[in-house]
Amino acid sequence: MTVPGVTSASGAGVERISVATDGTQGDGDSVGATITSNGRRIAFSSSAKNLAPATPATGARVFVRDQRTSQTTLMSTLTPPMQPPVISGDGQYVALWGLLQRDTKTFLSRVSSASTIGINCSGLSCGQPSLSADGRYIAQVATFNRPPSRQVIEVQDWQANHTQTVAQFGHTVAARPSISGDGRFVAYQDGQAEDVFVWDRTDDTSAGPIEGPSKAATLVQISKDGNKIVYLSGSDTYVQDESSGADQVVPNARGVAIDPTGRYLLYAPHDTNGPSLALRDLETGTDEIVSNQPASAGTDAVSAGGRDVVFQSTADDIVPGDTNGKSDVFIRHLY
């Protein structure tokens, strides 16, 4: 179904990403895809055991699909991810959040070698990572005490072994940091107060709440260029221009991702009679359908310029030969 003001993407190319190097479809569910700025590499998590050699027999793992070589690579066997993975804009690193004994930890994998290291933090547990474009800076949440009673949002330059504190909260309600491509800005939320803030590395200060004092907000993400922040309030999505402070409203929609340039917003309409995912050009106000079938996506799901969108779906009629009865990851080429 095509809704008013929305262009059908039926002619745009779509491929299944959650396959082995030889094209074999996965024998388990695949979810949580993120894409590099140039659209070449996609990271996702999957419980499939036949996507790459040496995949552990139990639990989901993180994989990277290289669109240029058609190679699917297992990133880490250390732990199942607790949330979707994060790939750096240049495609060199993948971060995941996993369990380490009683606590959690951020793990960082180098894509070229699939070697993995643990990233420390100031607390007992570390997690909810967000990567700069080159993978050098990691924004994450450190939680303290057992059971957890407070949290700190930190930015770690893991190459220089240097950590900066962004914010501290006396609670553990979701903080959800999102870092800009150059590592200068971190958008984050105070989940208890339902406010969104932006931290600036240059002067080590935070501004906000960016939504104003009179409404509750939930952070989606900051664009990699640092110029746009997407947040949810009520049933609407807001895209704030950081240079002017002006908000662009996308009504009756849940924003899920913004492209690195801040121009294209991926959103899920609340109206279930239309498409499940659409991509809006914020400059022209026009939309492209990403999926008419039931589908979902997460942050960092759009490549630069809105050229490609990655998403997950259990629908079996998106591409030919989908007979595994599982959730799969797809990429739609739009521009």
Coordinates of all heavy atoms in Angstrom, one line a residue, residues 13-17 19 25 293 311 315-323 328-332:
G13 N 16.3 -2.0 -5.1 CA 16.9 -3.3 -4.9 C 16.9 -3.7 -3.4 O 17.1 -2.9 -2.5
V14 N 16.7 -5.0 -3.1 CA 16.7 -5.5 -1.8 C 17.4 -6.8 -1.7 O 17.3 -7.6 -2.7 CB 15.3 -5.6 -1.2 CG1 14.4 -6.5 -2.0 CG2 15.3 -6.0 0.3
E15 N 18.3 -7.0 -0.7 CA 19.0 -8.2 -0.6 C 18.9 -8.8 0.8 O 18.8 -8.0 1.8 CB 20.5 -8.0 -0.9 CG 20.8 -7.5 -2.3 CD 22.3 -7.2 -2.4 OE1 23.1 -8.1 -2.3 OE2 22.6 -6.0 -2.7
R16 N 19.1 -10.1 1.0 CA 19.2 -10.6 2.3 C 20.6 -10.6 2.7 O 21.5 -11.1 2.0 CB 18.6 -12.0 2.3 CG 18.6 -12.6 3.7 CD 17.6 -13.8 3.9 NE 17.7 -14.8 2.8 CZ 17.2 -16.0 2.9 NH1 16.5 -16.4 4.0 NH2 17.3 -16.9 1.9
I17 N 20.9 -10.1 3.9 CA 22.3 -10.0 4.4 C 22.7 -11.2 5.3 O 23.9 -11.6 5.3 CB 22.4 -8.7 5.2 CG1 22.3 -7.5 4.3 CG2 23.7 -8.6 6.0 CD1 23.3 -7.4 3.2
V19 N 23.2 -14.2 5.5 CA 23.5 -15.5 4.8 C 25.0 -15.8 5.0 O 25.8 -14.9 5.2 CB 23.1 -15.4 3.3 CG1 21.6 -15.2 3.1 CG2 23.9 -14.2 2.6
Q25 N 21.2 -19.7 3.5 CA 20.4 -18.9 4.4 C 20.7 -19.4 5.9 O 21.0 -20.6 6.1 CB 19.0 -19.0 4.1 CG 18.4 -20.4 4.1 CD 16.9 -20.4 3.6 OE1 16.3 -19.3 3.5 NE2 16.4 -21.5 3.2
Q293 N 6.1 -4.9 4.2 CA 6.0 -6.1 5.1 C 6.3 -5.7 6.5 O 7.1 -4.8 6.8 CB 6.8 -7.3 4.6 CG 6.4 -7.8 3.3 CD 7.3 -7.2 2.2 OE1 7.7 -6.1 2.2 NE2 7.5 -8.0 1.1
F311 N 17.4 -3.6 7.8 CA 16.3 -3.9 8.7 C 16.1 -5.4 8.9 O 16.7 -6.2 8.2 CB 15.0 -3.3 8.1 CG 14.6 -3.8 6.8 CD1 13.6 -4.8 6.7 CD2 15.1 -3.3 5.6 CE1 13.2 -5.3 5.4 CE2 14.7 -3.7 4.4 CZ 13.8 -4.8 4.3
A315 N 9.1 -11.8 7.5 CA 8.4 -12.0 6.3 C 9.2 -12.9 5.3 O 10.4 -12.7 5.2 CB 8.1 -10.7 5.6
D316 N 8.6 -13.8 4.6 CA 9.3 -14.7 3.7 C 9.1 -14.4 2.3 O 9.5 -15.2 1.4 CB 8.8 -16.2 4.0 CG 7.3 -16.4 3.7 OD1 6.7 -15.4 3.3 OD2 6.8 -17.5 4.0
D317 N 8.5 -13.2 2.0 CA 8.3 -12.8 0.6 C 9.1 -11.5 0.2 O 8.7 -10.9 -0.8 CB 6.8 -12.7 0.3 CG 6.2 -11.6 1.2 OD1 6.8 -11.2 2.2 OD2 5.0 -11.3 1.0
I318 N 10.1 -11.2 1.0 CA 10.9 -10.0 0.6 C 11.9 -10.3 -0.5 O 12.1 -9.5 -1.4 CB 11.6 -9.5 1.9 CG1 10.6 -9.0 2.9 CG2 12.6 -8.3 1.5 CD1 11.1 -8.5 4.2
V319 N 12.5 -11.5 -0.4 CA 13.4 -11.9 -1.5 C 13.0 -13.4 -1.9 O 12.5 -14.1 -1.0 CB 14.9 -11.9 -1.0 CG1 15.3 -10.4 -0.8 CG2 15.2 -12.7 0.2
P320 N 13.3 -13.8 -3.1 CA 13.1 -15.2 -3.4 C 13.9 -16.1 -2.6 O 15.0 -15.8 -2.2 CB 13.5 -15.2 -4.9 CG 13.5 -13.8 -5.4 CD 13.9 -13.0 -4.2
G321 N 13.4 -17.3 -2.4 CA 14.1 -18.4 -1.8 C 14.2 -18.3 -0.3 O 15.1 -19.0 0.3
D322 N 13.4 -17.5 0.4 CA 13.5 -17.4 1.8 C 12.6 -18.4 2.4 O 11.3 -18.3 2.5 CB 13.0 -16.0 2.2 CG 13.2 -15.7 3.7 OD1 13.4 -16.7 4.5 OD2 13.0 -14.5 4.1
T323 N 13.2 -19.5 2.8 CA 12.4 -20.7 3.3 C 12.8 -21.1 4.7 O 12.4 -22.2 5.1 CB 12.6 -21.9 2.3 OG1 13.9 -22.2 2.2 CG2 12.0 -21.5 0.9
D328 N 15.2 -12.6 9.4 CA 16.4 -12.3 8.6 C 16.7 -10.8 8.6 O 15.8 -10.0 8.8 CB 16.2 -12.8 7.2 CG 16.3 -14.4 7.1 OD1 17.3 -14.9 7.6 OD2 15.3 -15.0 6.6
V329 N 18.0 -10.5 8.2 CA 18.4 -9.1 8.0 C 18.5 -8.8 6.5 O 19.0 -9.6 5.8 CB 19.7 -8.9 8.7 CG1 20.3 -7.5 8.3 CG2 19.6 -9.0 10.2
F330 N 17.9 -7.7 6.1 CA 17.9 -7.3 4.7 C 18.5 -5.9 4.6 O 18.6 -5.1 5.5 CB 16.4 -7.3 4.2 CG 15.7 -8.6 4.4 CD1 15.0 -8.9 5.5 CD2 15.7 -9.5 3.3 CE1 14.3 -10.1 5.6 CE2 15.0 -10.7 3.4 CZ 14.4 -11.0 4.6
I331 N 18.9 -5.6 3.3 CA 19.3 -4.3 3.0 C 18.5 -3.8 1.8 O 18.3 -4.6 0.8 CB 20.8 -4.2 2.7 CG1 21.3 -2.8 2.4 CG2 21.2 -5.1 1.5 CD1 22.8 -2.6 2.3
R332 N 18.0 -2.6 1.9 CA 17.3 -2.0 0.7 C 18.1 -0.8 0.2 O 18.5 0.0 0.9 CB 15.9 -1.5 1.1 CG 15.1 -1.0 -0.2 CD 13.7 -0.7 0.1 NE 12.9 -1.8 0.3 CZ 12.3 -2.6 -0.6 NH1 12.7 -2.5 -1.8 NH2 11.5 -3.6 -0.2

